[in-house]
Amino acid sequence: MRPDFAVIPYELRSVPRWVVWKGAKVPYCAAAANSTASVTDPDTWASFPLAQTAYEEGGYSGVGFVLNGDGIVGVDLDKCVNEGKPEPAALGLLDRIGCKYIELSPSGTGLRGFGYGENIKGRRGILDGVNVELYSTARYLTVTGHPIFSGPLVPLSGFSEVAQAIGGADLQKRPEDDRSHSSAFFCSSSVGIPATCLPTSEGERNRCLFHLARYIKGVKPGVTREELRAIVQEWHRLALPVIGTKDFTITLTDFMRGWAKVKQPHGETMDNIINAIDFTAPLPTGIAALGYGEAANRLARICQALQAHEGSEKPFFISARQAGELTGMHYTDASKVLAALVMDGVLVLVSKGSGRVASRYRWAWATA
């Protein structure tokens, strides 16, 4: 369902907390191409016009609004619209909460309501036979501008009361809410599922399962079988809208096959390269004169080592996010440093990355 931007309430359009999304509702920063967004990082949010422009330029499935505890809250009802007609129980629940602005979800099978309410932790449950979720902070909700009731955002008198009636445990952020860091969620095993291990289109299932196995072997080689099962269950839940394989046992079996085939765990090669660098040695002649800071000089050394590992004929891969993690910089700053290294002739940009593919560079600075 394409968003109707002209109908989206002004109360939401006037607040610069917008993201765009695609795939399994993975949020992206509208102001930076192919950069994921986080519901806890304002640097990854954008104004409504920027989100609209990013969507209209193509490559995204829709737009979303971030809730940050300022008083704007959201209500999410799942699978309560059949052939365009909302179930009476769903409308009754939204009326009980007090929503005046209610719209269809992107799939056309759910409802979203917005208004003003108390700052609570997310709640999910079944009430009056309806699957309902309530949020006020650390969450983003998709917005379509296809209302069934187009009233204004008003104080929701029943928001807190319904939250209490739902009961259950407070919800934490979903992985699809927070993608700005490499570990998108943490289960009881303290092993994260990176966004790069989640498919965004059909045909990526087996590749992503193998990447997940490789990642877990790298970050926690001693993980137990019970922990593995829990992680794969969460992966399956997140990937299900894309992969269409409803039987979890098929996913688990394919994952374990990939687990047995992993020969080079995630991070092993990079760790070996980084550990071999002598960061106390003098910089290549002339680079110090460029006036870079400590983090940029560290990144230059890393790039030189990556080139040495690949050999003089092959370019090396490095993303802005990876460069940031290796140098302690925010990925946006790391991206600027990489651009400066190219501008000053330290590196040559061989191909610019897109989506999950990192950019390729070649070391160009004379080492003699």
Side-chain angles (χ1 to χ4, degrees):
M1 184 178 294
R2 292 179 60 85
D4 189 340
F5 293 100
V7 182
I8 293 173
Y10 172 78
E11 296 95 329
L12 299 181
R13 289 187 284 121
S14 63
V15 180
R17 294 205 305 271
W18 288 86
V19 296
V20 286
W21 63 270
K22 59 183 176 180
K25 300 247 175 72
V26 177
Y28 285 79
C29 177
N34 297 312
S35 295
T36 49
S38 166
V39 294
T40 56
D41 185 357
D43 289 340
T44 64
W45 309 337
S47 65
F48 178 79
L50 272 177
Q52 180 177 352
T53 298
Y55 171 80
E56 291 176 343
E57 287 177 346
Y60 297 105
S61 303
V63 298
F65 182 78
V66 178
L67 304 172
N68 76 337
D70 70 341
I72 298 178
V73 299
V75 182
D76 185 6
L77 305 187
D78 190 29
K79 297 179 181 178
C80 61
V81 180
N82 298 303
E83 297 182 351
K85 296 181 179 180
E87 296 175 359
L91 294 179
L93 182 56
L94 288 167
D95 182 65
R96 176 178 171 181
I97 294 171
C99 293
K100 301 300 181 184
Y101 178 82
I102 304 168
E103 66 172 32
L104 292 170
S105 66
S107 67
T109 62
L111 297 174
R112 303 278 190 275
F114 292 93
Y116 299 99
E118 294 183 20
N119 189 2
I120 64 168
K121 289 187 177 181
R123 310 290 287 186
R124 177 196 293 143
I126 298 177
L127 196 60
D128 301 333
V130 181
N131 292 304
V132 58
E133 300 177 17
L134 305 179
Y135 303 105
S136 64
T137 189
R139 199 78 161 195
Y140 96 92
L141 292 178
T142 57
V143 183
T144 65
H146 290 269
I148 59 170
F149 292 106
S150 55
L153 268 64
V154 298
L156 305 182
S157 58
F159 185 75
S160 297
E161 180 264 323
V162 168
Q164 293 176 359
I166 292 173
D170 294 329
L171 294 177
Q172 304 300 315
K173 295 192 301 296
R174 302 167 298 182
E176 58 265 40
D177 282 326
D178 193 347
R179 301 284 184 157
S180 68
H181 303 290
S182 60
S183 294
F185 101 106
F186 292 91
C187 64
S188 59
S189 64
S190 298
V191 177
I193 298 180
T196 52
C197 293
L198 290 168
T200 59
S201 62
E202 293 183 6
E204 296 183 352
R205 175 178 168 277
N206 288 337
R207 178 181 64 81
C208 287
L209 276 173
F210 181 78
H211 285 327
L212 179 64
R214 182 171 175 266
Y215 175 78
I216 297 172
K217 270 200 174 180
V219 299
K220 191 167 183 179
V223 65
T224 67
R225 190 175 183 85
E226 290 75 18
E227 289 174 323
L228 279 178
R229 185 181 184 88
I231 295 169
V232 179
Q233 280 180 325
E234 184 65 7
W235 184 96
H236 183 79
R237 183 186 71 81
L238 293 170
L240 192 57
V242 176
I243 62 176
T245 303
K246 299 187 181 302
D247 192 333
F248 166 69
T249 57
I250 295 175
T251 293
L252 180 62
T253 300
D254 289 341
F255 170 84
M256 295 310 298
R257 287 174 180 166
W259 180 264
K261 293 179 181 179
V262 172
K263 304 299 182 185
Q264 188 178 56
H266 168 81
E268 185 176 74
T269 299
M270 181 63 78
D271 287 346
N272 291 338
I273 293 171
I274 300 301
N275 291 336
I277 299 174
D278 182 2
F279 288 101
T280 64
L283 288 163
T285 304
I287 288 185
L290 296 174
Y292 295 150
E294 180 179 351
N297 286 332
R298 178 181 176 86
L299 183 54
R301 292 181 189 272
I302 292 171
C303 289
Q304 185 182 23
L306 289 172
Q307 185 67 78
H309 175 78
E310 294 294 342
S312 60
E313 299 302 319
K314 286 182 62 178
F316 61 88
F317 288 89
I318 189 167
S319 67
R321 194 172 304 282
Q322 186 179 40
E325 291 173 354
L326 293 172
T327 57
M329 291 185 283
H330 190 277
Y331 72 90
T332 56
D333 293 330
S335 177
K336 294 173 184 177
V337 171
L338 286 168
L341 291 171
V342 172
M343 181 179 64
D344 289 334
V346 178
L347 301 177
V348 170
L349 178 61
V350 176
S351 63
K352 187 172 180 59
S354 176
R356 299 183 182 196
V357 179
S359 296
R360 293 196 304 166
Y361 298 89
R362 191 185 300 277
W363 180 265
W365 196 263
T367 57

